[in-house]
Amino acid sequence: MEAKQWTVDIYITEDGDDTHARAVLRTRETSTVAGRGVARRNPVDRPIPEIGDELAVSRALEDLAIRLHDVASEDIVQMAGPAER
């Protein structure tokens, strides 16, 4: 059995009340796939950066999952083309 390791790097930046996250998947088999997420703090809420980080990262991971699914779907379509004879 072959073991594989895929790595997801998470990058978080804050700009005022906005937190931006980028989740980047790197594998040997595929090109890099990235997802993005944003969280915006309501100005009346207490500033708790960890909550903004969690929301932005969860949204980036969700976006990454959708994009990875799209890559897999495209691969399936290409493989389902006319069979060689």
Side-chain angles (χ1 to χ4, degrees), residues 10-57:
I10 305 291
Y11 303 93
I12 303 169
T13 58
E14 293 181 12
D15 182 17
D17 290 335
D18 294 347
T19 303
H20 298 264
R22 190 165 66 106
V24 181
L25 171 67
R26 292 182 178 84
T27 73
R28 289 185 195 169
E29 295 82 16
T30 65
S31 59
T32 299
V33 181
R36 297 182 183 277
V38 177
R40 291 182 175 86
R41 182 178 67 84
N42 186 322
V44 300
D45 291 339
R46 293 184 306 158
I48 304 173
E50 183 176 306
I51 294 173
D53 293 352
E54 293 166 346
L55 287 171
V57 169

Side-chain angles (χ1 to χ4, degrees), residues 1-5:
M1 172 166 43
E2 178 185 354
K4 298 179 184 181
Q5 180 174 343

